[in-house]
Amino acid sequence: MRNRKHSKIDGLPSDIKSAVEEMILGNFTYREVCDFVRDTANITLSESAVCRYAQGLNATVQELRLASENMRTLTEEMAKYPQLDTTEGIARLISHKVLTAVRELDDGELKAADPLKLIDRCTSLIRAVAYKNENDIKVKNLKDVAFESFKEEIFDAMAKEEPELYRQLVRFISERKDVE
């Protein structure tokens, strides 16, 4: 996010600042906001100061709405594909946005685009997905090694002391492992 300049509104008590923001988002006029601040905090604001603050506030609200929409889309994707993890969902969302943006470029914009920069960004995205997949494989291998270690140590003792229980447990674990 960009740095916002601090204004008199930023220095207001939090309850008055919140009321000002609600007024701005509630389509009050800048004059009405100025009058409210003057009457409640005894501070004089110019309409242009309120306008500048409103522009920054509206940009922030728009960014939050966009982030919320992206999160909603990601959550819906994750619900459709429970085996999908968050990283894959984010990669899919970004890929979709990139392809949409490229598709919407007109001929002039496409010709003006630096192909090396586009290739570099695509390569970065591919690398990120490959890195994630590599880590998934490593985690699976570690899980398998841990499982085998557990199985050897504990099951040897169980096989000697409770052979029937041991057979049932091995069968149950094998079925569960196939499900995952």
Side-chain angles (χ1 to χ4, degrees):
M1 286 196 183
R2 60 193 161 277
N3 292 332
R4 193 177 72 205
K5 295 177 183 174
H6 295 284
S7 69
K8 282 186 177 180
I9 294 172
D10 290 315
L12 292 173
S14 61
D15 58 333
I16 296 174
K17 180 180 174 187
S18 294
V20 166
E21 290 176 349
E22 288 179 29
M23 290 176 77
I24 290 170
L25 295 174
N27 294 321
F28 282 79
T29 66
Y30 297 151
R31 173 60 20 222
E32 290 171 324
V33 173
C34 292
D35 292 344
F36 169 78
V37 172
R38 185 193 64 231
D39 294 344
T40 55
N42 200 27
I43 295 174
T44 304
L45 295 177
S46 68
E47 290 181 42
S48 62
V50 175
C51 177
R52 284 188 302 274
Y53 187 84
Q55 289 171 337
L57 178 64
N58 287 329
T60 300
V61 167
Q62 185 62 30
E63 288 174 6
L64 289 172
R65 286 181 182 148
L66 182 61
S68 178
E69 176 63 23
N70 286 341
M71 185 55 86
R72 185 189 61 72
T73 302
L74 181 60
T75 303
E76 287 175 1
E77 241 351 75
M78 301 295 289
K80 282 189 229 173
Y81 306 101
Q83 75 283 5
L84 194 68
D85 72 7
T86 307
T87 307
E88 289 178 76
I90 291 170
R92 284 184 181 198
L93 179 63
I94 290 170
S95 297
H96 173 71
K97 297 250 182 216
V98 167
L99 290 173
T100 300
V102 168
R103 189 177 62 241
E104 292 174 355
L105 290 174
D106 64 29
D107 287 339
E109 292 172 320
L110 195 54
K111 287 178 183 173
D114 180 0
L116 295 177
K117 198 177 214 179
L118 292 174
I119 291 169
D120 185 50
R121 295 214 173 131
C122 289
T123 302
S124 295
L125 182 59
I126 292 167
R127 252 191 240 119
V129 170
Y131 178 74
K132 188 255 179 235
N133 290 338
E134 181 182 327
N135 280 336
D136 286 350
I137 291 168
K138 287 178 183 175
V139 167
K140 183 183 181 319
N141 289 340
L142 287 173
K143 184 178 172 184
D144 290 344
V145 167
F147 174 76
E148 290 303 319
S149 177
F150 169 79
K151 183 177 170 183
E152 288 176 20
E153 292 176 20
I154 301 299
F155 287 5
D156 286 345
M158 187 185 289
K160 292 176 186 171
E161 297 175 23
E162 297 285 339
E164 181 56 33
L165 180 60
Y166 171 76
R167 283 190 289 280
Q168 290 175 354
L169 185 57
V170 167
R171 186 174 47 240
F172 175 79
I173 290 174
S174 294
E175 289 169 1
R176 294 301 307 154
K177 189 176 177 185
D178 291 340
V179 169
E180 292 179 5

